[in-house]
Amino acid sequence: MTISKKLLSVVLVVIMALSMLIIGPATASAAETVRINEVYPQVGYSIVYNLYLQTDTEAAALQGRLNYDQSVLDLTNLSFDNDNSIDSTTTTIGDTARVSFEGTKSSYDTVSSRMTVLTAVFKVIGTSPKYTSATTDDAISGCFTKLTTSTGYNLMEDENTNITTRTIIAATKVKMAKSSVLLDRGAGDYEVVKVKSVGPVNNDVDSSYSCTYKSSNTKVAKVSGRATYVKITAVGPGTATVTCTPDGGLTSYKIKVTVKQPVKSVTLSAKSVTLAKKGSAKSVTAKVTPSNASNKKLLVASANKKVAKVSVSSITSGKSFKITAVKKGKTSVKVSAADGSKKYATCKVTVKK
């Protein structure tokens, strides 16, 4: 009987341990998710909701609304299209919050262009069974209730008007192919840098993520791009910082941009110099164009130092150097840009005796 009791105790301990192994992970891994439109974020994640409008006709007035459940979502940021005048108010009924927005001055491009009317960033703070199926009561929904021209024409019924929405899990980091860019060929020179906006789910790289790009100095560099790249184009010499921010603004990445203005030409005050005899000397002034060249240094060298020598090996644009006769003969002095542009000028030198 004693052996049987011990054996029974061991069996019970094993069964309890197995039960903990089965129940424990199931409870720990039950990360709560909620269906928000076509996205299934976990509690703690942030999502980005965009409402877009496409139309080929100027809209004089618009009205719309954005609904969300405050027990499920916390609205952390709400922004509207900067190019138009849009006002908003928020009302709450129970757990449901409604953002009503109205525009009194709205101008849009062609039907091929898409304008972001609003961008809302939510943090998921809870779940609710009523959002587990596709219904009109999804956790967030935004729509236009009015879109008219100045004559009162209803653009909601126009075939060239398109209203779309997008919901994505907000990117938590941005991966860039480069952290710095050097544009050394002056205005118009450009470089394309690859971009990856990474989400929190298994480092998910979602092609639907999009970034906004901003140059700190548009007189130095301008930017354009899509979800997977940014094009940086030189405008003028100097430095700038390009900031890449994915939808939601939870993170950003900076690229240092340096734009150089290369030398386009080198000019001399004299194309030829005649020296009477040994010891005779003449001064020549050298300049680079354009005047805003990033590197104004010039290298000076005589082709034959036994005939004529120069006073310095390098000068700055606008300065002069001296050519001195050594003995009778002919040679030349070459003045080259030091910036790697391969621009230069030569001065023919004749020593008579």
Side-chain angles (χ1 to χ4, degrees), residues 36-37 39 47-53 65-66 75 77-81 101 114-122 140-144 162-171 208-212 227 245-249:
I36 301 173
N37 296 339
V39 176
I47 63 166
V48 182
Y49 175 82
N50 285 320
L51 178 62
Y52 300 108
L53 171 64
R65 61 175 179 260
L66 170 69
L75 180 62
N77 186 55
L78 178 65
S79 59
F80 293 91
D81 165 50
F101 54 90
R114 185 172 70 169
M115 185 195 79
T116 306
V117 177
L118 69 83
T119 299
V121 183
F122 297 94
I140 58 174
S141 63
C143 66
F144 281 101
N162 185 23
I163 300 167
T164 57
T165 63
R166 181 186 68 163
T167 307
I168 61 170
I169 297 176
S208 69
Y209 285 136
S210 65
C211 282
T212 56
T245 306
D247 276 358

Side-chain angles (χ1 to χ4, degrees), residues 4 46 84 87 101 104 110 194 221 266 288 296 302 352:
S4 297
S46 290
N84 294 283
D87 298 319
F101 54 90
T104 55
T110 63
K194 291 184 178 180
V266 178
V288 301
K296 296 181 175 66
S302 172
K352 287 191 171 181

